[in-house]
Amino acid sequence: MTGLGSGPWDLLIVGGGVVGAGIARDAAMRGLRVALVERGDLGVGTSSRSSRLVHGGLRYLEHGDFRLVFEALHERAVLRRIAPHLVHPLAFVFPVHRGDRVPLWKLIAGMWLYDLLAGTRNVRAHRMLGKRALLRAEPMVRERGLVGGARYWDCQVDDARLTLATARSALAHGAALATYTEVEGLERSDGRVVGARLVDRIDGTRATVHATVVVNATGPWSDALRQMEDPAVTPVLRLTRGAHVLVPRARLGHTDAITLTSAVDGRVMFVLPWGPWSYVGTTDTDHEGTPDDVHATEEDVTYLLRSANAAFPHAHLVAEDVVVTWAAVRPLVRNDAKLSTATVSREHMILRGAGGMLTIVGGKLTTYRRMAAEMVDRVGEELHRIDGRPRAARARTDLEPLPGGTAADLTPLHARALDTGLTVDTADHLVARYGDEAQAVVNLVAADRHLAERLHPAHPAIAAEVVHAARRELALTVEDVLVRRIHLFYETTDAGAAAAATTARLMGATLGWGPEAVARAAEAYVALVRAKIRGR
């Protein structure tokens, strides 16, 4: 909780996912005094366990959600502009087979409408493919029954690092931020929520923070915090679980991303490239447990592998081929409980509670910046009503680059990394992960050659990245680094366990841990990996 103090703040945000970080950035850019608290690491929930896509949502066209698709396509262009190092154009091939739920004529109409809604902001225009052209592009796709398809473009994103970059931008504009800080209760004055009682989950210290307005941006946990404000409040969320499996890309043999309709139930899903890996997702099933207890079930894995095997008959994927799984719950707005999860709206909603706390629910990763702007507009209305201050003009969050996204040409940074003695694959990795902030990591290597050592024999990440994460990227645990900063958890067959001891030692030297704390940190990560493997 260092740096929060007791306020008073204009705005206290509870929740450090991408939406909470976006609200903090927008509000700080408007000149508000902003504090954000998160019970874990930044993006530890849904915001780091998504399908890693910034997209318009082609499948939403089936349900007539034209406005949502239009807004998402606009935001896709914005994110490409402010975070070009994190949001990358990606080609998708959509094969169509006889008997598919989405026939070729419907796909043709959808492709033209998708491009029309994107307008001048389009990544690239679609192209319809006949059977032969599609098989030339993706020869391992099932040939039997194939009638053709399309190639179109959307974007892939590093979701965890997008959340981190947004939060760091908020910090740069004066916001205060405390991770591993949990809300134990809400503070009230004359019936109005005016702050929160907090506990530090690392050292156990407690504090009370006061704010004129409190915003609930806790995603799947939103109803729990709303019930802290008013125990009688009606829940508004319908939680659905989205699971993914990661497998070796060579087993599938695809070049581009693949959009497909599952042979199991006809749902639109994806097979997506991630370096030497492919991840398959996502499921969309009601989640009955708490948001804290979410993982890919055996049924999820079976469904995803069956769907992938049907699309790639030569793959013959089985559970033993799965390197890692991840899952999260979507905080969808409850409507008619009889609707399937695929048809529940992804649009968001802002609610005002009995104590004046503002809650934002629903939405999707791609539109987080727009959601944040709408929430800060509401905060401005509340502040004007409470103390009469003028409403601030909207911040130009659509123009200012996020950290790492400033340089238009990263070639000189790549060359500098090579000049420092780093290998080509490490230089590629640094530029792709950090954008123009790769310079900061390379500078650490130039000052200390030991920091050029690899963290893991099967991955290009280096020791300097751990130091950088602890110094500048708000990492406080080994999990923060290996799961959400460098992604060894997802990009090595042992989930990064071989790097745990080195990572803990480097973090300890940077953050001032003693030998026992270093050992505990490494052991905690290895235990996490074992638990994830058992849960898989």
Side-chain angles (χ1 to χ4, degrees):
M1 283 187 282
T2 303
L4 282 187
S6 58
W9 302 92
D10 295 325
L11 173 62
L12 172 65
I13 302 159
V14 184
V18 73
V19 174
I23 295 168
R25 177 180 187 242
D26 190 301
M29 288 178 69
R30 297 195 204 192
L32 299 183
R33 298 186 69 244
V34 182
L36 181 148
V37 295
E38 161 58 47
R39 64 181 296 214
D41 185 27
L42 292 165
V44 69
T46 306
S47 295
S48 65
R49 289 182 270 170
S50 73
S51 295
R52 302 173 181 172
L53 293 178
V54 165
H55 64 140
L58 181 64
R59 68 188 179 91
Y60 303 145
L61 294 177
E62 280 194 273
H63 311 304
D65 288 336
F66 301 138
R67 185 170 68 86
L68 177 61
V69 174
F70 177 79
E71 290 180 354
L73 289 170
H74 175 270
E75 290 302 301
R76 183 185 69 182
V78 170
L79 293 176
R80 287 185 65 201
R81 179 168 61 245
I82 67 173
H85 60 307
L86 300 175
V87 180
H88 304 284
L90 183 65
F92 287 72
V93 170
F94 195 147
V96 176
H97 295 79
R98 282 192 299 272
D100 279 356
R101 185 182 59 78
V102 178
L104 191 59
W105 70 263
K106 184 179 284 189
L107 180 62
I108 293 171
M111 287 287 106
W112 281 108
L113 183 55
Y114 204 56
D115 283 356
L116 180 65
L117 290 171
T120 59
R121 301 180 297 269
N122 208 2
V123 178
R124 195 175 298 182
H126 80 276
R127 179 188 169 201
M128 298 307 300
L129 303 173
K131 177 179 178 179
R132 290 192 186 88
L134 195 144
L135 287 173
R136 281 196 299 270
E138 295 290 348
M140 298 304 176
V141 166
R142 175 164 59 93
E143 182 176 1
R144 183 179 180 183
L146 183 68
V147 296
R151 175 184 277 116
Y152 69 100
W153 293 77
D154 260 316
C155 291
Q156 192 171 43
V157 64
D158 187 328
D159 53 3
R161 295 197 66 85
L162 179 66
T163 303
L164 172 65
T166 303
R168 291 182 59 219
S169 177
L171 283 173
H173 283 281
L177 190 153
T179 56
Y180 292 93
T181 300
E182 187 168 7
V183 172
E184 288 189 310
L186 298 173
E187 282 290 291
R188 302 172 189 269
S189 177
D190 297 326
R192 191 168 65 84
V193 174
V194 293
R197 298 185 298 278
L198 310 174
V199 59
D200 188 310
R201 298 182 68 196
I202 292 179
D203 64 20
T205 59
R206 285 175 164 77
T208 298
V209 171
H210 295 92
T212 307
V213 177
V214 176
V215 162
N216 173 9
T218 56
W221 294 268
S222 294
D223 278 335
L225 190 57
R226 292 176 65 237
Q227 289 169 344
M228 195 178 289
E229 178 188 27
D230 177 6
V233 75
T234 301
V236 297
L237 294 183
R238 179 178 179 180
L239 302 182
T240 70
R241 184 176 66 254
H244 303 79
V245 296
L246 187 86
V247 297
R249 188 170 172 181
R251 292 293 300 275
L252 294 165
H254 63 111
T255 301
D256 294 331
I258 306 296
T259 305
L260 57 93
T261 51
S262 171
V264 178
D265 60 2
R267 285 191 65 253
V268 174
M269 56 186 298
F270 304 103
V271 177
L272 296 153
W274 191 262
W277 312 103
S278 297
Y279 59 102
V280 184
T282 177
T283 60
D284 202 356
T285 53
D286 282 313
H287 180 72
E288 302 299 334
T290 71
D292 298 300
D293 180 26
V294 57
H295 59 275
T297 65
E298 185 176 338
E299 291 77 13
D300 291 334
V301 173
T302 299
Y303 167 80
L304 293 170
L305 295 182
R306 284 182 61 195
S307 299
N309 285 332
F312 295 88
H314 70 287
H316 303 297
L317 294 169
V318 295
E320 287 70 26
D321 295 313
V322 175
V323 176
V324 72
T325 68
W326 68 88
V329 287
R330 307 176 186 89
L332 303 182
V333 178
R334 181 188 299 270
N335 46 32
D336 184 352
K338 295 180 181 179
L339 291 176
S340 73
T341 55
T343 60
V344 176
S345 174
R346 262 59 174 175
E347 295 196 55
H348 63 278
M349 179 187 299
I350 296 175
L351 308 169
R352 187 178 188 276
M357 182 173 69
L358 298 176
T359 296
I360 187 163
V361 293
K364 58 200 292 279
L365 173 67
T366 303
T367 57
Y368 87 92
R369 191 199 62 87
R370 182 183 289 264
M371 294 167 62
E374 291 183 20
M375 175 56 90
V376 181
D377 286 345
R378 286 291 300 273
V379 170
E381 293 292 336
E382 288 291 307
L383 292 172
H384 178 74
R385 184 183 61 81
I386 293 167
D387 59 22
R389 74 181 70 187
R391 302 170 183 85
R394 276 204 169 183
R396 295 313 306 265
T397 56
D398 58 334
L399 296 181
E400 182 178 304
L402 294 176
T406 302
D409 182 8
L410 298 174
T411 305
L413 291 176
H414 191 277
R416 171 80 199 290
L418 296 178
D419 290 343
T420 312
L422 298 175
T423 60
V424 172
D425 60 343
T426 292
D428 291 343
H429 159 79
L430 293 179
V431 170
R433 193 79 81 206
Y434 301 97
D436 57 54
E437 287 198 328
Q439 181 69 56
V441 180
V442 173
N443 288 344
L444 291 173
V445 174
D448 182 354
R449 296 298 308 170
H450 292 97
L451 295 180
E453 296 175 0
R454 294 200 175 205
L455 288 172
H456 192 286
H459 197 278
I462 57 174
E465 294 177 73
V466 179
V467 177
H468 179 77
R471 286 183 181 175
R472 300 181 60 175
E473 294 190 336
L474 309 169
L476 295 179
T477 71
V478 174
E479 178 187 341
D480 296 349
V481 175
L482 297 184
V483 177
R484 287 172 292 279
R485 303 302 187 277
I486 307 180
H487 306 328
L488 264 67
F489 181 85
Y490 299 110
E491 297 174 1
T492 59
T493 55
D494 68 344
T502 299
T503 302
R505 175 179 57 79
L506 290 164
M507 292 190 75
T510 305
L511 299 176
W513 299 346
E516 292 183 358
V518 169
R520 285 196 303 271
E523 290 166 3
Y525 184 77
V526 173
L528 168 74
V529 170
R530 289 173 180 158
K532 290 288 185 182
I533 291 173
R534 285 197 299 271
R536 188 175 72 201

